[in-house]
Amino acid sequence: MGKTSKDKRDIYYRLAKEEGWRARSAFKLLQIDDEFSIFQGVTRAVDLCAAPGSWSQVLSRKLRENDEKAKIVAVDLQPMAHLDGVIQLRGDITEVSTAQEIISHFDGEYAQLVVCDGAPDVTGLHSLDEYMQSQLLLAAFNISTHVLSQHGTFVAKIFRARNASLLYAQMRKFFKHVSCAKPKSSRQSSCEAFIVCQDYCPPEGYVPTMKNILFEEDYETAVSSLIGCNRVVIPFVACGDLSGWDSDRVYPLDTTTLDPTQQRYVNRDVVAPPTEPPYKLACELKKSGKLNLTSLEGSLMAVPSRAQRK
Ligand code: SAM
């Protein structure tokens, strides 16, 4: 899809480039903060699944505005271009070694905020995608139990699907306030939302673990057992200026900031192109005029898989 049609299609994509954010998702975190003030008093934060880095940009700008020594640790499987004030780690959030590496950067202190916008590669099979998303959320939660201070805040992407009520109930055992936030910049057509968990207070004697002890394998049974006081109803909160931009609408290009000299919309390049995109090899082969299926197949055989790279 060409640059122009994508620019036309999505108002937040365009605004992100105009305001210098690496991804449109920056607005989701900003709108969550508008509603829940999650950055208030925070000087140590962790951004899980951070690449290409728009949430880390938001954290860096907002936290360092109040305290330039604020510490932000960002983790992703993918490499990410440098960001001032952000310690970047390349790692898998499902591994305990990643939790340990994060902690090592806090010099014995704990983070007051952990955010996770993680998303596994989508397969298109809804049940599998939902399951993978909930597993990633639990991995993020498990890491948080290692690094989050008492009364801290945890925000993570969640799919509003079958098993969401079980996740809400489980999070309520660890946090005093749990809400489901739908920022204005998250398309209504998407089941994506964000679980905002505030005031971390784990059950007495709880020992942080990386095992998914919360999510029972047979979650059908677990969900149906959520009756009476075991079932929690959490607030659903729409965030962002509701009279503002609508992420599901298509806006004509001329409604955004125009270049005053040209009086027409000027396309902008992306703020930070991916450092090692999966299509890098194809681009290189194309540049050298060697892109054909046989060369690509041969070369791809030589590219190590993620597991082999470890
Ligand atoms: N919040 C980011 C931003 O604003 O730029 C966008 C995050 S992107 C939607 C999802 C990221 O999750 C991808 O970069 C992907 O590499 C990462 N991810 C998925 N599974 C992961 C895992 N197990 N460990 C670390 N990162 C993971």
Side-chain angles (χ1 to χ4, degrees):
M1 186 163 297
K3 208 188 234 176
T4 313
S5 55
K6 194 166 185 190
D7 275 2
K8 202 177 210 166
R9 210 180 53 206
D10 189 321
I11 187 75
Y12 285 102
Y13 174 84
R14 249 152 59 194
L15 288 176
K17 289 203 286 179
E18 281 165 22
E19 294 180 17
W21 302 113
R22 290 184 180 181
R24 69 189 290 291
S25 21
F27 295 106
K28 298 176 192 169
L29 191 59
L30 287 166
Q31 291 169 351
I32 290 171
D33 178 57
D34 283 348
E35 192 63 42
F36 295 92
S37 305
I38 55 171
F39 302 144
Q40 208 168 22
V42 173
T43 53
R44 292 179 300 279
V46 180
D47 182 8
L48 300 171
C49 303
S54 78
W55 279 29
S56 292
Q57 276 183 298
V58 171
L59 291 171
S60 170
R61 285 193 204 175
K62 291 282 182 183
L63 305 191
R64 291 177 349 124
E65 212 167 70
N66 299 329
D67 180 348
E68 60 181 29
K69 290 205 191 99
K71 194 170 252 185
I72 298 141
V73 177
V75 186
D76 202 289
L77 289 169
Q78 308 294 334
M80 193 168 112
H82 169 83
L83 269 176
D84 280 344
V86 178
I87 299 167
Q88 295 179 17
L89 309 178
R90 199 162 166 193
D92 184 342
I93 67 157
T94 63
E95 287 178 6
V96 73
S97 56
T98 309
Q100 284 156 353
E101 213 179 332
I102 298 172
I103 299 165
S104 71
H105 288 280
F106 284 113
D107 308 318
E109 292 190 288
Y110 288 89
Q112 298 116 325
L113 173 66
V114 179
V115 295
C116 176
D117 186 28
D121 292 339
V122 174
T123 64
L125 298 170
H126 292 305
S127 303
L128 183 60
D129 290 339
E130 281 160 28
Y131 180 76
M132 297 292 283
Q133 185 64 39
S134 53
Q135 288 300 309
L136 203 58
L137 187 150
L138 286 172
F141 167 75
N142 282 341
I143 283 219
S144 302
T145 60
H146 287 79
V147 301
L148 197 59
S149 60
Q150 283 276 340
H151 311 299
T153 303
F154 171 63
V155 176
K157 195 204 297 275
I158 186 169
F159 285 168
R160 284 162 60 219
R162 252 174 349 138
N163 53 32
S165 53
L166 178 57
L167 287 166
Y168 298 146
Q170 290 169 326
M171 292 301 139
R172 276 284 277 115
K173 295 212 178 304
F174 289 81
F175 295 89
K176 285 219 176 106
H177 308 285
V178 177
S179 310
C180 174
K182 181 75 177 174
K184 184 85 171 129
S185 49
S186 171
R187 295 186 186 96
Q188 293 306 312
S189 48
S190 155
C191 65
E192 169 194 86
F194 295 86
I195 189 164
V196 180
C197 307
Q198 292 168 295
D199 203 349
Y200 179 56
C201 41
E204 219 180 300
Y206 177 74
V207 180
T209 167
M210 285 302 285
K211 285 193 205 126
N212 278 349
I213 48 142
L214 294 176
F215 215 51
E216 300 193 13
E217 269 173 35
D218 181 6
Y219 61 78
E220 293 292 354
T221 318
V223 174
S224 58
S225 70
L226 290 175
I227 48 170
C229 64
N230 287 335
R231 191 173 187 95
V232 298
V233 178
I234 61 155
F236 178 81
V237 186
C239 351
D241 179 357
L242 299 186
S243 59
W245 301 110
D246 178 344
S247 51
D248 286 289
R249 265 190 65 189
V250 172
Y251 292 91
L253 287 173
D254 60 0
T255 60
T256 58
T257 324
L258 295 175
D259 178 327
T261 54
Q262 300 190 34
Q263 281 304 301
R264 67 181 171 79
Y265 181 77
V266 179
N267 278 312
R268 289 169 172 80
D269 284 331
V270 291
V271 175
T275 44
E276 259 182 56
Y279 49 82
K280 191 173 166 190
L281 176 65
C283 293
E284 281 164 7
L285 288 169
K286 193 173 178 191
K287 259 190 210 154
S288 57
K290 289 183 195 153
L291 183 65
N292 61 47
L293 202 57
T294 337
S295 68
L296 200 58
E297 270 169 3
S299 317
L300 284 176
M301 298 289 280
V303 176
S305 68
R306 191 179 281 167
Q308 286 167 326
R309 278 202 301 270
K310 282 190 178 169

